[in-house]
Amino acid sequence: MRKPFVAGNWKMHGTVREAAELAGGLAAQIGHVDNVDVALCPPYTAIGTVRDAIRGSRLRLGAQDLHWEKSGAYTGEVSAGMLIDAGCSCVIIGHSERRQFFGETDDSVNRKLKAAVAAGLEAIVCVGETLVEREAGSTLAVVERQLAGGLEGAGCDQLAIAYEPVWAIGTGKVATPDQAQEVHGFIRAWLGRKYGHAADCVRILYGGSVKPDNILSLSAQPDIDGALVGGASLKVDSFLDIVGGSLKRE
Ligand code: PGA
């Protein structure tokens, strides 16, 4: 049985003070029942503050990206070792906004994944098609290409996948549970061919306009193991409702 995993991707939002308030509010209310893994992924500027605000709670700290080298002359970049040092236990890799605006490729995703795992981070590797690709009927081919390139030569021990249809991110247009399950089931089968039974443990999160009112129907799908949440992770109440809604109900 896979434990659901909900990660809040704060993107480029919030001052240090706002981050402290949000993380502090979540830490105070998250409770101690450990039936869902919950991570906060603030901007780098707030990572230390969030780490301090969630200390002693069951919230995990994550980052939104990393560089594959350990250190060096890479202005603006942060390494896996630095994230571990700062208190992170997970990292998002290959988010569609990185792919769209910052030149992320399947090859760079692959390097980042290997660096993250080697350092001991859990990686959340994002895949997903654009609207044009969906309308052209190439959703599964795109996802397969992203998986094959991104996971080339990598294991699945510290791996989670986030399926995020690009057309659903920040648009309010959530994939229907059936649309999401179709792709999640495809990803599960693909992982099974690559990794065998070990793939049963890989959590596949859905992302793209996840809200308290759609999480229940999404998490009822057999291959949806939680969510990567953008906008709705910036408010204590909506994020906690999503965490609660991500539990599998028999
Ligand atoms: P959204 O973002 O929930 O605001 O659509 C999700 C994501 O980009 O991870």
Side-chain angles (χ1 to χ4, degrees), residues 7 9 11 92 95-97 126 164 168-172 207-211 228-233:
N9 175 9
K11 308 193 181 182
I92 299 167
H95 189 279
S96 65
E97 287 149 16
C126 302
E164 299 204 301
I169 295 177
T171 58
S209 298
V210 173
K211 302 279 182 285
L228 182 56
V229 187
S233 72

Side-chain angles (χ1 to χ4, degrees), residues 66-77:
L66 81 166
H67 192 269
W68 56 82
E69 293 291 346
K70 289 195 168 82
S71 62
Y74 301 100
T75 301
E77 297 293 330

Side-chain angles (χ1 to χ4, degrees), residues 27-248:
Q29 291 185 50
I30 188 80
H32 292 286
V33 185
D34 192 18
N35 45 10
V36 183
D37 248 352
V38 187
L40 309 182
C41 304
Y44 294 127
T45 46
I47 279 195
T49 300
V50 171
R51 176 197 57 214
D52 295 344
I54 65 177
R55 187 166 285 136
S57 79
R58 65 187 183 87
L59 292 166
R60 298 171 59 184
L61 183 62
Q64 300 174 18
D65 192 22
L66 81 166
H67 192 269
W68 56 82
E69 293 291 346
K70 289 195 168 82
S71 62
Y74 301 100
T75 301
E77 297 293 330
V78 170
S79 71
M82 290 170 172
L83 295 181
I84 295 269
D85 182 48
C88 293
S89 67
C90 56
V91 61
I92 299 167
I93 298 176
H95 189 279
S96 65
E97 287 149 16
R98 303 286 333 156
R99 295 177 189 260
Q100 194 179 347
F101 303 125
F102 303 102
E104 187 88 87
T105 63
D106 295 332
D107 180 57
S108 59
V109 168
N110 185 249
R111 292 173 190 226
K112 291 177 178 188
L113 169 62
K114 288 173 178 164
V117 169
L121 292 164
E122 180 174 6
I124 305 170
V125 172
C126 302
V127 298
E129 81 289 1
T130 63
L131 186 58
V132 172
E133 290 163 341
R134 174 160 283 266
E135 286 175 346
S138 49
T139 296
L140 300 181
V142 168
V143 168
E144 179 161 30
R145 190 198 70 224
Q146 292 171 334
L147 290 172
L151 308 189
E152 169 73 36
C156 69
D157 274 357
Q158 291 148 244
L159 176 67
I161 304 289
Y163 168 57
E164 299 204 301
V166 179
W167 48 272
I169 295 177
T171 58
K173 280 190 215 152
V174 64
T176 65
D178 287 349
Q179 281 175 324
Q181 170 56 33
E182 183 196 9
V183 181
H184 281 238
F186 173 82
I187 295 171
R188 176 89 51 218
W190 190 93
L191 293 170
R193 287 194 296 279
K194 183 173 170 75
Y195 297 116
H197 284 308
D200 295 346
C201 301
V202 177
R203 295 180 287 193
I204 309 175
L205 319 185
Y206 170 80
S209 298
V210 173
K211 302 279 182 285
D213 63 4
N214 56 37
I215 185 66
L216 282 176
S217 54
L218 288 164
S219 52
Q221 301 302 312
D223 291 301
I224 297 184
D225 308 313
L228 182 56
V229 187
S233 72
L234 297 171
K235 293 258 174 346
V236 171
D237 290 353
S238 56
F239 191 59
L240 288 179
D241 284 350
I242 290 169
V243 170
S246 71
L247 273 176
K248 291 276 180 208

